[in-house]
Amino acid sequence: NGLKIPHMGWNKLDFKGEKDVIFKYLDEDDFVYFVHSFYGTDCDDSVIATAEYGIDVTAAVRSGNVWGCQFHPEKSGKVGLAILKAFCEG
């Protein structure tokens, strides 16, 4: 589809269902930083956010008290700090 792999750069999160607690400080138009050449599949029950990169790719998952993200909060500036703050608040 002409998109470069690895996917490197800023992309918007699309929240799935009710916005998860770790995204409580984020707005719908906030962007996070991605650096990846793969993404999770077959995890629909756990997906809390996706990002569009030619297709919807898994951006964040949650299972109980375990979270995982495909993007890099530590490289995502103020938005990443807001995610980490919400994570620490539990």
Side-chain angles (χ1 to χ4, degrees), residues 64-79:
N65 65 348
V66 177
W67 288 266
C69 55
Q70 188 69 50
F71 59 92
H72 290 262
E74 78 282 4
K75 295 181 183 211
S76 297
K78 289 181 181 181
V79 173

Side-chain angles (χ1 to χ4, degrees), residues 8-84:
M8 296 176 66
W10 297 92
N11 210 328
K12 185 174 85 69
L13 294 176
D14 296 314
F15 306 117
K16 299 301 169 194
E18 185 176 327
K19 191 186 318 182
D20 193 83
V21 65
I22 65 166
F23 301 136
K24 68 181 179 180
Y25 298 119
L26 274 57
D27 295 322
E28 291 290 328
D29 294 329
D30 285 336
F31 281 66
V32 293
Y33 193 77
F34 286 85
V35 179
H36 67 98
S37 56
F38 61 90
Y39 59 92
T41 61
D42 300 322
C43 52
D44 292 342
D45 292 343
S46 301
V47 174
I48 57 174
T50 61
E52 194 278 323
Y53 193 67
I55 60 170
D56 282 342
V57 296
T58 301
V61 294
R62 179 181 183 181
S63 180
N65 65 348
V66 177
W67 288 266
C69 55
Q70 188 69 50
F71 59 92
H72 290 262
E74 78 282 4
K75 295 181 183 211
S76 297
K78 289 181 181 181
V79 173
L81 288 174
I83 293 169
L84 294 173

